[in-house]
Amino acid sequence: MDDSSIGVRIRMFRGKTLTQRQLADQAGVSVDLVRKLEQGGRQTASIASLQKLARALDVDIADLVGKRAGVPSTDPDSGIVAIRRALTPVDDLLGETNEDAAVTLDDGRRAVDYAWGAYWVGRYELLTSILPLGITQLRATVHAARNGSVAPANELLARMYWVTGCTLVHLGQTDPAFLAIRQALAAAQAGNDPLLLGTIRGSVAWQLLVQGRYEESRGVALRAAADLEPAGEVSQAQLSAYGSLVLQGATAAGRAQRVPDALALVDAASEVALRIGIDRRDYETYFGPSQVVMQTVDVNVSSERYPEALAAAKDMPANSGLPQSSRARHLTDTAVALTRTGQHQRALDTLLTAERVGGPDWLKYQSLPRHIVSELLDHDRRVPLRAFARRLGVNT
């Protein structure tokens, strides 16, 4: 068995402290699942089950699935360590403001837009080289801001912290990611844009979801949604922000195995999407019919309702407005459902499409495709699958 598999890591973390049955009992999963994972009979499990196992083993899920990684660089001002340094400044303790690093609001806006553009096409390594300087410059811009420029400067800083937090999640760095999103929230509170503030609260909910804190994630998302609930005629942007928050609550409910609640929230979000009629991108967040289908599939996959997931996937609009990384993630979820329903060739074809859509930078930092391919190798060892496995770094 591949020494980087989930099963090997479960056995390593379990050590001699817990038997397989004791781990299963503490996690609230079947001992058969633990046994099959450790023996290589299964290469992955539902996200909810993996979160339960990680919690019982007292490890971060990124450590369990092997997602945590550094981004080696010859540039000392780039990489994860440089981002951590930018997120934890001590200039106030040194009596420094570093206002010489301030940029104009227009330049700051261009930098933020560039960072988000890189994020949505999965250019995580590029982001580790531009985020440290971007944070430093916009913090200095906030320090230098006066009068009418204070709120917009803080809003730009909030968006830069926000994209930093999102990037760090994909690199498996959950602790600094949460620090970044809380700093984004604080900066947004110093701004003057309630839709930006509400959407960043939704990103806090997403990060809680990543940490396995499902009930808190659901509560944060739905409370933020309540503050933006449309009454009468409102802007399309507000509808989009509200619908996205409701959908975030649905995803959290699904991960918590509250399937009826999750599906009811999906239906509520779907009504908002129908009211909008198209896929929109507002405040770096996508919402519309395509996003509803994507999250419906996610809810069903996370609760191991694979036929229902495949039925929902058929409703994806032909001209989907999802960004590259989201389309690739949706295809990966669909491949999970195909694998678990025995449709192995279709699962491989779907993963190969996800590879083309997401690109090599996106794929490099995704653990789920590797686990699906490992599972497929148990049924098919033909050349195309083995070649794909090698590209993913999966032992064949």
Side-chain angles (χ1 to χ4, degrees):
M1 182 167 57
D2 181 359
D3 62 6
S4 65
S5 71
I6 287 177
V8 166
R9 283 187 288 274
I10 289 175
R11 188 163 61 240
M12 177 186 71
F13 290 128
R14 180 170 63 80
K16 297 180 180 179
T17 305
L18 295 171
T19 65
Q20 288 180 337
R21 182 166 296 281
Q22 287 171 329
L23 173 59
D25 289 344
Q26 287 193 27
V29 301
S30 70
V31 69
D32 185 58
L33 174 62
V34 175
R35 187 177 296 119
K36 284 182 177 178
L37 286 169
E38 290 197 4
Q39 293 176 351
R42 284 187 65 169
Q43 297 300 324
T44 189
S46 71
I47 294 172
S49 294
L50 292 176
Q51 289 282 12
K52 290 176 182 178
L53 287 166
R55 191 177 300 116
L57 292 166
D58 195 26
V59 299
D60 193 287
I61 191 170
D63 296 314
L64 190 62
V65 302
K67 189 173 181 179
R68 193 183 302 278
V71 184
S73 171
T74 57
D75 182 359
D77 295 321
S78 70
I80 289 171
V81 172
I83 293 175
R84 284 175 176 267
R85 187 179 300 118
L87 290 173
T88 54
V90 292
D91 49 4
D92 58 327
L93 301 179
L94 297 172
E96 300 173 355
T97 59
N98 198 24
E99 290 189 8
D100 289 344
V103 296
T104 67
L105 293 180
D106 284 343
D107 284 346
R109 193 170 294 108
R110 279 190 285 269
V112 168
D113 289 344
Y114 182 77
W116 275 105
Y119 174 78
W120 283 120
V121 296
R123 298 289 304 279
Y124 306 130
E125 292 186 11
L126 170 63
L127 282 160
T128 64
S129 69
I130 64 177
L131 291 173
L133 179 60
I135 293 169
T136 300
Q137 289 179 331
L138 283 172
R139 286 187 73 253
T141 302
V142 167
H143 279 300
R146 300 291 184 271
N147 302 322
S149 65
V150 172
N154 273 287
E155 289 159 11
L156 287 173
L157 179 59
R159 292 175 62 203
M160 187 65 85
Y161 276 138
W162 181 13
V163 71
T164 300
C166 293
T167 300
L168 289 169
V169 167
H170 287 285
L171 297 176
Q173 303 290 325
T174 51
D175 290 341
F178 199 69
L179 171 62
I181 197 61
R182 289 309 303 253
Q183 289 178 332
L185 192 62
Q189 288 168 336
N192 190 31
D193 189 333
L195 294 185
L196 175 64
L197 179 59
T199 308
I200 291 179
R201 288 169 68 186
S203 192
V204 173
W206 174 59
Q207 292 209 17
L208 290 169
L209 183 84
V210 170
Q211 295 176 25
R213 297 163 65 177
Y214 304 132
E215 291 300 330
E216 291 171 292
S217 174
R218 175 183 173 278
V220 168
L222 295 183
R223 186 172 180 182
D227 288 344
L228 295 181
E229 187 169 3
E233 290 298 320
V234 299
S235 68
Q236 294 280 76
Q238 182 173 340
L239 284 174
S240 179
Y242 171 74
S244 180
L245 288 165
V246 172
L247 206 52
Q248 180 65 56
T251 304
R255 298 289 172 86
Q257 304 303 297
R258 296 173 53 167
V259 179
D261 183 22
L263 294 177
L265 289 167
V266 165
D267 286 343
S270 180
E271 291 180 8
V272 180
L274 287 172
R275 184 173 169 182
I276 294 174
I278 59 172
D279 293 317
R280 290 180 59 89
R281 175 183 173 181
D282 298 286
Y283 293 90
E284 316 305 342
T285 301
Y286 289 80
F287 180 75
S290 298
Q291 193 72 27
V292 170
V293 172
M294 176 182 172
Q295 295 309 121
T296 304
V297 172
D298 178 276
V299 165
N300 283 302
V301 167
S302 66
S303 55
E304 301 188 353
R305 292 158 41 93
Y306 302 120
E308 291 86 349
L310 293 175
K314 293 178 181 178
D315 292 332
M316 181 62 72
N319 297 317
S320 168
L322 294 174
Q324 283 179 228
S325 57
S326 295
R327 293 203 308 273
R329 174 65 201 207
H330 169 68
L331 288 165
T332 303
D333 282 343
T334 304
V336 172
L338 289 166
T339 301
R340 297 294 165 74
T341 53
Q343 302 178 66
H344 301 131
Q345 183 59 51
R346 286 187 63 198
L348 174 58
D349 292 342
T350 302
L351 283 176
L352 290 171
T353 303
E355 180 186 33
R356 290 194 296 273
V357 170
D361 285 349
W362 177 85
L363 195 66
K364 182 176 180 179
Y365 293 100
Q366 305 302 313
S367 56
L368 186 57
R370 293 197 296 274
H371 298 312
I372 303 170
V373 166
S374 295
E375 201 166 318
L376 289 173
L377 284 168
D378 293 336
H379 305 278
D380 180 3
R381 302 192 64 82
R382 287 177 293 177
V383 171
L385 178 58
R386 296 206 326 264
F388 183 43
R390 284 194 293 272
R391 292 200 298 278
L392 294 180
V394 177
N395 291 343
T396 59

